[in-house]
Amino acid sequence: MTSVTMPETGGPGDGSVILRCEGITKAFQGVHAVNGAAFDVVKGQVTALIGPNGAGKTTLVNILSGSMTCDRGHEFIGGTEVTNWPSHRIARLGLMRTFQLSRELGGLTVLENLLVAPHQQPGESLFNVFFRPRLVKRQERAYVERALDLLDTYGLYRLRDNRAGELSGGQKKLLEISRAVMVSPQVLLLDEPMAGVNPALIDRIGGYILDLQRSGVTVLMIEHNLNVVEQICDHVIVLAEGRTLATGRLSELRQNEQVVKAYLGEVIDAGTDR
Amino acid sequence: MSGTWYYIFTLAFFLFDYFILAMGLNIQYGETGILNFAYIGFVAIGAYVTGVLSLPSSAGTGQYYILGLSLPFPVNLLLGGLTASAFAVLVALIALRRLRTDYLAMVLISLSLVLYDVCNNYVPLFNGADGLYNVPEPFAAALKLNTNSFIPFFAAVTGVIALFMWFVMSRVTRSPAGRTFRAIRDDEVVAAALGKDVFRQQLKSMLIGSFYAGIGGGLLIQFSGSFNPTAWLPGETFVVFAVILVGGVGNNIGLLVGALLVETLLVHLPAFLPAIPGAPGLIEYFDAVLIGVLLMVMLWFRPQGVVPERARRAASFGVKARLGTAAGELAEHVGSARAPQATTEPVALTTEGSGP
């Protein structure tokens, strides 16, 4: 792995590491999808995870979020080792995620998609439902207010009573992000948030991500759109063949021959004197 | 009581009882997405346990069964429901933790067959293939009810129990707990990524649904006074599935409609119709044909059921409606143009060509 100088913190973080992976490895029937990936994500930064198709980016995000277990390696969130913890425990530590192909809860309304997000709600206990209904109602109202605020911010307010399965692709992307934000996450993993959305919406999603960073959320996003990476990401991790190939600012990585060969290829060739 | 009223009260009993059974399966399948193909097994456990708790000691009765505690109604009924729930926890701990959807369904249908064989062949448990009979009719002695007066009385009792259980189930399904169940039904992976302990929630759903199954089974044996393996062939599970698919998955009112259409009109009514000349008994087998045809028609033309699951609107949470800000307008502009006057400033990311 090539190490490139760590960038200065762009957001409100204190420069400490909030997410660390050490030697994460995952093989499927002998084929290594992730092969010793290791990197740090600094608190308060927007970090991009880039790499060619098949580099293991989504598998790695699945492992980091607990949707999949790893064969070897370690994962830490804020100093706590969470290697191979189940999804729900990792989520309760404050790491939320979105999916490469939007996975809305299609039978629920847009509003309900957000309402389901808060962890360990009082109303999820049947004891509270029957014997502490006022507590449940009060908490539910607070959730509804917050959810409506978020739907307003993310431009989905008018669709609040629609079933989520009826939304367009771009709207589903927004719904996924707003659903993850509903629980005020510490770390947000975004799997290709700009994929398949129109240019105007790409601008807006970029704005939302920077807003989240300003509010203290650490973002790790898989992204292929290098304009987006260049403009909103403080730090970039390049993954190739399941390994961390390099880390640093995109401008620095453009000069890295290994990165150019593995991922950037023709685009960089056109802009450099090789 | 005339024959017509006898039929009507019998049909009313089955309507209420299958409404209870449908609510139990609905919370498992319709709300949480658990394909419980062993559902009728939980009904049978409820029926048998209610029966043997109600019957006196088996010595001298000509039957062989466990317990025989002569417990009064509804204590025996509640214990029957709780036993079905306890069995569901056991099954869930073994099967639900490791298996999902199709594989879980296969294990559960196998479990249903195993349960059936055990109860049918192991006589000391619940009297084998003969099943339990002469089960005391609840309150019959105290209220001096004869067979004719017991039927409308117990149909009414079952109606009251069904109404109470509907009230409880509505509270559950409309609560955040119900919302979490539906989230798991729609996508387990997403629900887990949102911090939901999927196994724990599914366990809860299995427990509630199986309690309803046990109560429904207990009411069956109390109504008819007998219960044997022919009453719960593994295929009976699919009659309850038909009730919820026809009525409307995820809608408690739909379940009542489904129970009326499938159980009352298609399963029990044909038994009261006059025999077809030259083919006695044929009409009793029409129910399976009619249910199959109805299921195909419904799944083709109205898969959401007669009364579809209702979306819970924002207004129902008691929060005042508000005007969306300008950013709220984006919803209408996505895919066409940039939203005007957004609260969140867009960044110009798309002015140049993107990377590879």
Side-chain angles (χ1 to χ4, degrees), chain B residues 12 18 24 34 50 96 112 126 137 144-145 154 160 228 254 267 312 320 324 338:
Chain B
Y18 268 74
I34 303 167
T50 303
L96 205 57
S112 183
F126 301 123
E137 294 173 335
K144 296 187 175 119
L145 301 170
F154 202 71
V160 171
N228 63 55
V267 175
R312 185 154 187 205
K320 283 182 183 173
R338 192 182 296 251

Side-chain angles (χ1 to χ4, degrees), chain A residues 66-87:
Chain A
S67 300
M68 199 178 269
T69 56
C70 63
D71 301 331
R72 281 199 304 277
H74 303 277
E75 178 190 358
F76 299 88
I77 298 174
T80 306
E81 176 154 15
V82 296
T83 312
N84 289 344
W85 277 22
S87 252

Side-chain angles (χ1 to χ4, degrees), chain A residues 92 103 107 112 116 118-119 121 124 129 140 145 149 152 155 157-158 161 163 198 203-204 211 227 231, chain B residues 171 179-180 182 186-187 194-196 204 309 314 322 325 329 331-332 335 338 342 344 347-348 352-353:
Chain A
R92 288 175 191 178
R103 292 177 81 156
E112 283 180 311
V116 84
H119 309 319
Q121 303 178 29
E124 286 178 348
V129 169
E140 190 77 342
E145 291 285 0
D149 284 344
D152 200 8
Y157 183 78
R158 286 174 179 230
D161 289 333
R163 285 194 198 276
N198 68 67
D203 293 357
R204 298 233 22 130
D211 271 358
N227 279 325
Q231 293 185 53
Chain B
R171 287 288 291 273
R179 188 168 60 218
T180 301
R182 291 199 301 282
D186 283 0
D187 196 325
L194 291 172
K196 309 300 169 194
K204 205 189 287 180
E309 182 180 314
R322 59 174 91 176
T325 64
E329 303 297 318
E332 293 177 2
R338 192 182 296 251
T344 301
V347 289
E352 294 171 17

